[in-house]
PDB file of all heavy atoms in Angstrom:
ATOM      1  N   GLU A 106      -3.833   8.489  -3.263  1.00 88.00           N
ATOM      2  CA  GLU A 106      -3.707   9.884  -2.865  1.00 88.00           C
ATOM      3  C   GLU A 106      -3.257  10.026  -1.406  1.00 88.00           C
ATOM      4  O   GLU A 106      -2.440  10.825  -1.028  1.00 88.00           O
ATOM      5  CB  GLU A 106      -5.074  10.586  -3.062  1.00 88.00           C
ATOM      6  CG  GLU A 106      -5.321  10.645  -4.471  1.00 88.00           C
ATOM      7  CD  GLU A 106      -6.731  11.501  -4.777  1.00 88.00           C
ATOM      8  OE1 GLU A 106      -7.227  11.854  -3.724  1.00 88.00           O
ATOM      9  OE2 GLU A 106      -7.021  11.662  -5.902  1.00 88.00           O
ATOM     10  N   ALA A 107      -3.890   9.105  -0.459  1.00 88.00           N
ATOM     11  CA  ALA A 107      -3.538   9.198   0.859  1.00 88.00           C
ATOM     12  C   ALA A 107      -2.074   8.819   1.091  1.00 88.00           C
ATOM     13  O   ALA A 107      -1.282   9.342   1.838  1.00 88.00           O
ATOM     14  CB  ALA A 107      -4.435   8.243   1.718  1.00 88.00           C
ATOM     15  N   VAL A 108      -1.540   7.727   0.498  1.00 91.00           N
ATOM     16  CA  VAL A 108      -0.168   7.343   0.596  1.00 91.00           C
ATOM     17  C   VAL A 108       0.831   8.315  -0.049  1.00 91.00           C
ATOM     18  O   VAL A 108       1.774   8.697   0.583  1.00 91.00           O
ATOM     19  CB  VAL A 108      -0.043   5.972  -0.040  1.00 91.00           C
ATOM     20  CG1 VAL A 108       1.523   5.565  -0.089  1.00 91.00           C
ATOM     21  CG2 VAL A 108      -0.760   4.845   0.782  1.00 91.00           C
ATOM     22  N   ALA A 109       0.387   8.936  -1.196  1.00 89.00           N
ATOM     23  CA  ALA A 109       1.284   9.841  -1.755  1.00 89.00           C
ATOM     24  C   ALA A 109       1.366  11.207  -0.931  1.00 89.00           C
ATOM     25  O   ALA A 109       2.415  11.665  -0.746  1.00 89.00           O
ATOM     26  CB  ALA A 109       0.626  10.249  -3.173  1.00 89.00           C
ATOM     27  N   GLY A 110       0.196  11.585  -0.432  1.00 88.00           N
ATOM     28  CA  GLY A 110       0.229  12.845   0.458  1.00 88.00           C
ATOM     29  C   GLY A 110       1.089  12.572   1.763  1.00 88.00           C
ATOM     30  O   GLY A 110       1.904  13.392   2.124  1.00 88.00           O
ATOM     31  N   PHE A 111       0.950  11.363   2.296  1.00 89.00           N
ATOM     32  CA  PHE A 111       1.703  11.065   3.411  1.00 89.00           C
ATOM     33  C   PHE A 111       3.103  11.012   3.186  1.00 89.00           C
ATOM     34  O   PHE A 111       3.918  11.499   4.059  1.00 89.00           O
ATOM     35  CB  PHE A 111       1.226   9.749   4.061  1.00 89.00           C
ATOM     36  CG  PHE A 111       1.840   9.228   5.179  1.00 89.00           C
ATOM     37  CD1 PHE A 111       1.670   9.746   6.486  1.00 89.00           C
ATOM     38  CD2 PHE A 111       2.837   8.238   5.064  1.00 89.00           C
ATOM     39  CE1 PHE A 111       2.365   9.317   7.632  1.00 89.00           C
ATOM     40  CE2 PHE A 111       3.556   7.756   6.264  1.00 89.00           C
ATOM     41  CZ  PHE A 111       3.318   8.305   7.511  1.00 89.00           C
ATOM     42  N   THR A 112       3.582  10.292   2.236  1.00 90.00           N
ATOM     43  CA  THR A 112       5.049  10.129   1.965  1.00 90.00           C
ATOM     44  C   THR A 112       5.681  11.405   1.615  1.00 90.00           C
ATOM     45  O   THR A 112       6.788  11.752   1.975  1.00 90.00           O
ATOM     46  CB  THR A 112       5.322   9.138   0.806  1.00 90.00           C
ATOM     47  OG1 THR A 112       4.482   9.493  -0.396  1.00 90.00           O
ATOM     48  CG2 THR A 112       4.875   7.646   1.269  1.00 90.00           C
ATOM     49  N   LEU A 113       4.854  12.271   0.805  1.00 89.00           N
ATOM     50  CA  LEU A 113       5.419  13.581   0.589  1.00 89.00           C
ATOM     51  C   LEU A 113       5.655  14.504   1.767  1.00 89.00           C
ATOM     52  O   LEU A 113       6.750  15.011   1.982  1.00 89.00           O
ATOM     53  CB  LEU A 113       4.471  14.353  -0.433  1.00 89.00           C
ATOM     54  CG  LEU A 113       4.878  15.693  -0.806  1.00 89.00           C
ATOM     55  CD1 LEU A 113       6.131  15.778  -1.627  1.00 89.00           C
ATOM     56  CD2 LEU A 113       3.716  16.481  -1.663  1.00 89.00           C
ATOM     57  N   ALA A 114       4.696  14.361   2.660  1.00 86.00           N
ATOM     58  CA  ALA A 114       4.811  15.208   3.908  1.00 86.00           C
ATOM     59  C   ALA A 114       5.977  14.614   4.868  1.00 86.00           C
ATOM     60  O   ALA A 114       6.492  15.398   5.567  1.00 86.00           O
ATOM     61  CB  ALA A 114       3.474  15.168   4.764  1.00 86.00           C
ATOM     62  N   GLU A 115       6.099  13.287   4.820  1.00 88.00           N
ATOM     63  CA  GLU A 115       7.171  12.718   5.752  1.00 88.00           C
ATOM     64  C   GLU A 115       8.518  12.700   5.005  1.00 88.00           C
ATOM     65  O   GLU A 115       9.428  12.082   5.686  1.00 88.00           O
ATOM     66  CB  GLU A 115       6.512  11.277   6.183  1.00 88.00           C
ATOM     67  CG  GLU A 115       5.339  11.371   6.953  1.00 88.00           C
ATOM     68  CD  GLU A 115       5.494  12.002   8.314  1.00 88.00           C
ATOM     69  OE1 GLU A 115       6.678  12.037   8.811  1.00 88.00           O
ATOM     70  OE2 GLU A 115       4.505  12.639   8.888  1.00 88.00           O
ATOM     71  N   GLY A 116       8.685  12.928   3.769  1.00 91.00           N
ATOM     72  CA  GLY A 116       9.975  12.775   3.123  1.00 91.00           C
ATOM     73  C   GLY A 116      10.320  11.318   2.820  1.00 91.00           C
ATOM     74  O   GLY A 116      11.527  11.021   3.055  1.00 91.00           O
ATOM     75  N   ILE A 117       9.275  10.482   2.421  1.00 92.00           N
ATOM     76  CA  ILE A 117       9.588   9.108   2.120  1.00 92.00           C
ATOM     77  C   ILE A 117       9.520   8.887   0.641  1.00 92.00           C
ATOM     78  O   ILE A 117       8.573   9.277  -0.025  1.00 92.00           O
ATOM     79  CB  ILE A 117       8.618   8.256   2.914  1.00 92.00           C
ATOM     80  CG1 ILE A 117       8.753   8.363   4.357  1.00 92.00           C
ATOM     81  CG2 ILE A 117       8.673   6.786   2.605  1.00 92.00           C
ATOM     82  CD1 ILE A 117       7.639   7.738   5.157  1.00 92.00           C
ATOM     83  N   GLU A 118      10.377   8.157   0.120  1.00 94.00           N
ATOM     84  CA  GLU A 118      10.406   7.807  -1.253  1.00 94.00           C
ATOM     85  C   GLU A 118       9.772   6.493  -1.513  1.00 94.00           C
ATOM     86  O   GLU A 118      10.194   5.515  -1.009  1.00 94.00           O
ATOM     87  CB  GLU A 118      11.918   7.726  -1.853  1.00 94.00           C
ATOM     88  CG  GLU A 118      11.998   7.374  -3.365  1.00 94.00           C
ATOM     89  CD  GLU A 118      13.364   7.286  -3.801  1.00 94.00           C
ATOM     90  OE1 GLU A 118      14.359   7.238  -3.014  1.00 94.00           O
ATOM     91  OE2 GLU A 118      13.564   7.001  -5.073  1.00 94.00           O
ATOM     92  N   LEU A 119       8.586   6.388  -2.314  1.00 94.00           N
ATOM     93  CA  LEU A 119       8.150   5.132  -2.801  1.00 94.00           C
ATOM     94  C   LEU A 119       8.881   4.571  -3.879  1.00 94.00           C
ATOM     95  O   LEU A 119       9.102   5.119  -4.986  1.00 94.00           O
ATOM     96  CB  LEU A 119       6.687   5.409  -3.267  1.00 94.00           C
ATOM     97  CG  LEU A 119       5.617   5.688  -2.184  1.00 94.00           C
ATOM     98  CD1 LEU A 119       4.216   5.822  -2.882  1.00 94.00           C
ATOM     99  CD2 LEU A 119       5.687   4.605  -1.064  1.00 94.00           C
ATOM    100  N   ILE A 120       9.470   3.270  -3.675  1.00 95.00           N
ATOM    101  CA  ILE A 120      10.313   2.552  -4.606  1.00 95.00           C
ATOM    102  C   ILE A 120       9.460   1.402  -5.182  1.00 95.00           C
ATOM    103  O   ILE A 120      10.036   0.682  -5.970  1.00 95.00           O
ATOM    104  CB  ILE A 120      11.540   2.040  -3.934  1.00 95.00           C
ATOM    105  CG1 ILE A 120      11.244   1.072  -2.692  1.00 95.00           C
ATOM    106  CG2 ILE A 120      12.386   3.226  -3.494  1.00 95.00           C
ATOM    107  CD1 ILE A 120      12.547   0.481  -2.271  1.00 95.00           C
ATOM    108  N   GLY A 121       8.418   1.244  -4.940  1.00 94.00           N
ATOM    109  CA  GLY A 121       7.506   0.269  -5.525  1.00 94.00           C
ATOM    110  C   GLY A 121       6.033   0.249  -4.939  1.00 94.00           C
ATOM    111  O   GLY A 121       5.764   0.801  -3.957  1.00 94.00           O
ATOM    112  N   HIS A 122       5.109  -0.384  -5.591  1.00 93.00           N
ATOM    113  CA  HIS A 122       3.782  -0.651  -5.158  1.00 93.00           C
ATOM    114  C   HIS A 122       3.192  -1.943  -5.647  1.00 93.00           C
ATOM    115  O   HIS A 122       3.633  -2.461  -6.644  1.00 93.00           O
ATOM    116  CB  HIS A 122       2.841   0.563  -5.677  1.00 93.00           C
ATOM    117  CG  HIS A 122       2.649   0.600  -7.051  1.00 93.00           C
ATOM    118  ND1 HIS A 122       3.423   1.282  -7.985  1.00 93.00           N
ATOM    119  CD2 HIS A 122       1.667   0.064  -7.812  1.00 93.00           C
ATOM    120  CE1 HIS A 122       3.040   1.190  -9.173  1.00 93.00           C
ATOM    121  NE2 HIS A 122       1.916   0.351  -9.197  1.00 93.00           N
ATOM    122  N   HIS A 123       2.155  -2.372  -4.803  1.00 93.00           N
ATOM    123  CA  HIS A 123       1.558  -3.651  -5.115  1.00 93.00           C
ATOM    124  C   HIS A 123       0.094  -3.507  -4.927  1.00 93.00           C
ATOM    125  O   HIS A 123      -0.465  -2.807  -3.896  1.00 93.00           O
ATOM    126  CB  HIS A 123       1.934  -4.720  -4.215  1.00 93.00           C
ATOM    127  CG  HIS A 123       3.549  -5.110  -4.460  1.00 93.00           C
ATOM    128  ND1 HIS A 123       3.950  -6.048  -5.312  1.00 93.00           N
ATOM    129  CD2 HIS A 123       4.636  -4.488  -3.983  1.00 93.00           C
ATOM    130  CE1 HIS A 123       5.397  -6.050  -5.295  1.00 93.00           C
ATOM    131  NE2 HIS A 123       5.846  -5.098  -4.537  1.00 93.00           N
ATOM    132  N   ILE A 124      -0.706  -3.976  -5.794  1.00 92.00           N
ATOM    133  CA  ILE A 124      -2.222  -3.870  -5.762  1.00 92.00           C
ATOM    134  C   ILE A 124      -2.824  -5.214  -5.726  1.00 92.00           C
ATOM    135  O   ILE A 124      -2.542  -5.947  -6.523  1.00 92.00           O
ATOM    136  CB  ILE A 124      -2.746  -2.953  -7.029  1.00 92.00           C
ATOM    137  CG1 ILE A 124      -2.120  -1.680  -7.084  1.00 92.00           C
ATOM    138  CG2 ILE A 124      -4.294  -2.875  -6.885  1.00 92.00           C
ATOM    139  CD1 ILE A 124      -2.448  -0.912  -8.367  1.00 92.00           C
ATOM    140  N   GLU A 125      -3.731  -5.284  -4.656  1.00 89.00           N
ATOM    141  CA  GLU A 125      -4.439  -6.572  -4.495  1.00 89.00           C
ATOM    142  C   GLU A 125      -5.944  -6.463  -4.669  1.00 89.00           C
ATOM    143  O   GLU A 125      -6.547  -5.450  -4.211  1.00 89.00           O
ATOM    144  CB  GLU A 125      -4.030  -7.087  -3.047  1.00 89.00           C
ATOM    145  CG  GLU A 125      -4.440  -8.669  -2.827  1.00 89.00           C
ATOM    146  CD  GLU A 125      -3.062  -9.383  -3.055  1.00 89.00           C
ATOM    147  OE1 GLU A 125      -2.184  -9.211  -2.322  1.00 89.00           O
ATOM    148  OE2 GLU A 125      -3.052 -10.103  -3.940  1.00 89.00           O
ATOM    149  N   VAL A 126      -6.474  -7.474  -5.243  1.00 83.00           N
ATOM    150  CA  VAL A 126      -7.997  -7.532  -5.301  1.00 83.00           C
ATOM    151  C   VAL A 126      -8.459  -8.650  -4.514  1.00 83.00           C
ATOM    152  O   VAL A 126      -8.393  -9.878  -5.174  1.00 83.00           O
ATOM    153  CB  VAL A 126      -8.528  -7.541  -6.789  1.00 83.00           C
ATOM    154  CG1 VAL A 126     -10.038  -7.548  -6.746  1.00 83.00           C
ATOM    155  CG2 VAL A 126      -8.067  -6.201  -7.514  1.00 83.00           C
ATOM    156  N   GLU A 127      -8.783  -8.611  -3.357  1.00 72.00           N
ATOM    157  CA  GLU A 127      -9.138  -9.769  -2.500  1.00 72.00           C
ATOM    158  C   GLU A 127      -9.714  -9.380  -1.309  1.00 72.00           C
ATOM    159  O   GLU A 127      -9.681  -8.319  -0.835  1.00 72.00           O
ATOM    160  CB  GLU A 127      -7.685 -10.447  -2.093  1.00 72.00           C
ATOM    161  CG  GLU A 127      -7.875 -11.625  -1.142  1.00 72.00           C
ATOM    162  CD  GLU A 127      -8.784 -12.769  -1.610  1.00 72.00           C
ATOM    163  OE1 GLU A 127      -8.574 -13.193  -2.655  1.00 72.00           O
ATOM    164  OE2 GLU A 127      -9.713 -12.957  -0.798  1.00 72.00           O
ATOM    165  N   THR A 128     -10.673 -10.267  -0.809  1.00 60.00           N
ATOM    166  CA  THR A 128     -11.564  -9.894   0.343  1.00 60.00           C
ATOM    167  C   THR A 128     -10.731  -9.887   1.619  1.00 60.00           C
ATOM    168  O   THR A 128     -10.917  -9.235   2.538  1.00 60.00           O
ATOM    169  CB  THR A 128     -12.710 -10.944   0.598  1.00 60.00           C
ATOM    170  OG1 THR A 128     -12.164 -12.200   0.792  1.00 60.00           O
ATOM    171  CG2 THR A 128     -13.555 -11.107  -0.663  1.00 60.00           C
ATOM    172  N   GLY A 129      -9.568 -10.778   1.657  1.00 53.00           N
ATOM    173  CA  GLY A 129      -8.733 -10.808   2.893  1.00 53.00           C
ATOM    174  C   GLY A 129      -9.357 -11.475   3.952  1.00 53.00           C
ATOM    175  O   GLY A 129      -8.936 -11.406   5.130  1.00 53.00           O
ATOM    176  N   LYS A 130     -10.495 -12.194   3.890  1.00 57.00           N
ATOM    177  CA  LYS A 130     -11.090 -12.790   5.042  1.00 57.00           C
ATOM    178  C   LYS A 130     -10.713 -14.330   5.128  1.00 57.00           C
ATOM    179  O   LYS A 130     -10.230 -14.858   4.153  1.00 57.00           O
ATOM    180  CB  LYS A 130     -12.530 -12.777   4.896  1.00 57.00           C
ATOM    181  CG  LYS A 130     -13.300 -11.457   5.028  1.00 57.00           C
ATOM    182  CD  LYS A 130     -14.736 -11.565   4.803  1.00 57.00           C
ATOM    183  CE  LYS A 130     -15.300 -10.097   4.808  1.00 57.00           C
ATOM    184  NZ  LYS A 130     -16.773 -10.230   4.731  1.00 57.00           N
ATOM    185  N   GLY A 131     -10.731 -14.919   6.320  1.00 53.00           N
ATOM    186  CA  GLY A 131     -10.267 -16.219   6.440  1.00 53.00           C
ATOM    187  C   GLY A 131      -8.827 -16.456   7.029  1.00 53.00           C
ATOM    188  O   GLY A 131      -8.002 -15.553   6.913  1.00 53.00           O
ATOM    189  N   ALA A 132      -8.720 -17.600   7.499  1.00 50.00           N
ATOM    190  CA  ALA A 132      -7.369 -17.945   8.181  1.00 50.00           C
ATOM    191  C   ALA A 132      -6.268 -18.089   7.102  1.00 50.00           C
ATOM    192  O   ALA A 132      -5.153 -17.876   7.425  1.00 50.00           O
ATOM    193  CB  ALA A 132      -7.401 -19.342   8.922  1.00 50.00           C
ATOM    194  N   ASP A 133      -6.618 -18.312   5.862  1.00 57.00           N
ATOM    195  CA  ASP A 133      -5.651 -18.421   4.698  1.00 57.00           C
ATOM    196  C   ASP A 133      -5.574 -17.119   3.950  1.00 57.00           C
ATOM    197  O   ASP A 133      -5.160 -17.294   2.777  1.00 57.00           O
ATOM    198  CB  ASP A 133      -5.976 -19.659   3.801  1.00 57.00           C
ATOM    199  CG  ASP A 133      -7.308 -19.536   3.196  1.00 57.00           C
ATOM    200  OD1 ASP A 133      -8.126 -18.640   3.614  1.00 57.00           O
ATOM    201  OD2 ASP A 133      -7.442 -20.129   2.133  1.00 57.00           O
ATOM    202  N   ALA A 134      -5.932 -16.088   4.563  1.00 64.00           N
ATOM    203  CA  ALA A 134      -6.056 -14.806   3.848  1.00 64.00           C
ATOM    204  C   ALA A 134      -4.646 -14.389   3.262  1.00 64.00           C
ATOM    205  O   ALA A 134      -4.612 -13.952   2.104  1.00 64.00           O
ATOM    206  CB  ALA A 134      -6.399 -13.727   4.676  1.00 64.00           C
ATOM    207  N   LEU A 135      -3.512 -14.706   3.929  1.00 70.00           N
ATOM    208  CA  LEU A 135      -2.280 -14.293   3.331  1.00 70.00           C
ATOM    209  C   LEU A 135      -1.916 -15.176   2.152  1.00 70.00           C
ATOM    210  O   LEU A 135      -1.269 -14.759   1.193  1.00 70.00           O
ATOM    211  CB  LEU A 135      -1.048 -14.402   4.459  1.00 70.00           C
ATOM    212  CG  LEU A 135       0.299 -14.017   3.964  1.00 70.00           C
ATOM    213  CD1 LEU A 135       0.310 -12.565   3.519  1.00 70.00           C
ATOM    214  CD2 LEU A 135       1.244 -14.194   5.091  1.00 70.00           C
TER     215      LEU A 135
END
């Protein structure tokens, strides 16, 4: 909702999305 509202207000078209389920901690996070 936050991204959708922001892109609508700024006139930006979303051409794709990616969803991650990950803690993101540690040096090898990427």
Side-chain angles (χ1 to χ4, degrees):
E106 289 181 2
V108 170
F111 175 80
T112 53
L113 179 63
E115 296 293 335
I117 298 173
E118 179 186 6
L119 286 180
I120 60 174
H122 68 271
H123 297 265
I124 302 173
E125 199 93 67
V126 180
E127 176 53 57
T128 62
K130 296 179 180 179
D133 63 340
L135 185 56

